[in-house]
Amino acid sequence: MPRKRIYTDEERQNRHREASRKYREANLEKVTAYNKQWKVDNWEYYREYNREYLRRWRQSKKMGRVTS
């Protein structure tokens, strides 16, 4: 019986990215519908995330740093 191949973290990430890209390409409508529904179901997450993002942005603006 052949041994199972062991991938490095980088190889694993690349394989995952490629598989995800292929899946999204093949099932674009399904993925789009799922993402829209997820945003509707998790609007509280977005509210908190945006609040935190704006807080950090204002903080960095006060410090005089330019972040891109």
Side-chain angles (χ1 to χ4, degrees):
M1 202 167 172
R3 287 191 178 174
K4 188 173 178 183
R5 168 93 196 272
I6 297 174
Y7 295 99
T8 63
D9 285 349
E10 191 175 339
E11 286 174 325
R12 207 167 28 78
Q13 288 173 346
N14 289 339
R15 285 168 56 86
H16 174 72
R17 283 191 201 107
E18 187 62 23
S20 294
R21 187 187 62 74
K22 283 182 183 174
Y23 180 83
R24 283 193 309 269
E25 253 177 33
N27 300 288
L28 190 59
E29 294 84 13
K30 192 193 290 188
V31 171
T32 303
Y34 175 85
N35 288 342
K36 283 182 184 175
Q37 187 58 47
W38 195 92
K39 285 180 181 179
V40 168
D41 295 343
N42 295 280
W43 62 272
E44 294 102 339
Y45 167 82
Y46 278 103
R47 187 179 63 190
E48 291 300 316
Y49 176 84
N50 287 332
R51 184 179 294 152
E52 181 63 19
Y53 180 86
L54 285 173
R55 188 187 67 74
R56 285 189 188 153
W57 180 78
R58 288 188 197 106
Q59 191 74 26
S60 69
K61 201 173 165 191
K62 283 181 192 171
M63 303 292 266
R65 287 189 312 223
V66 178
T67 56
S68 55

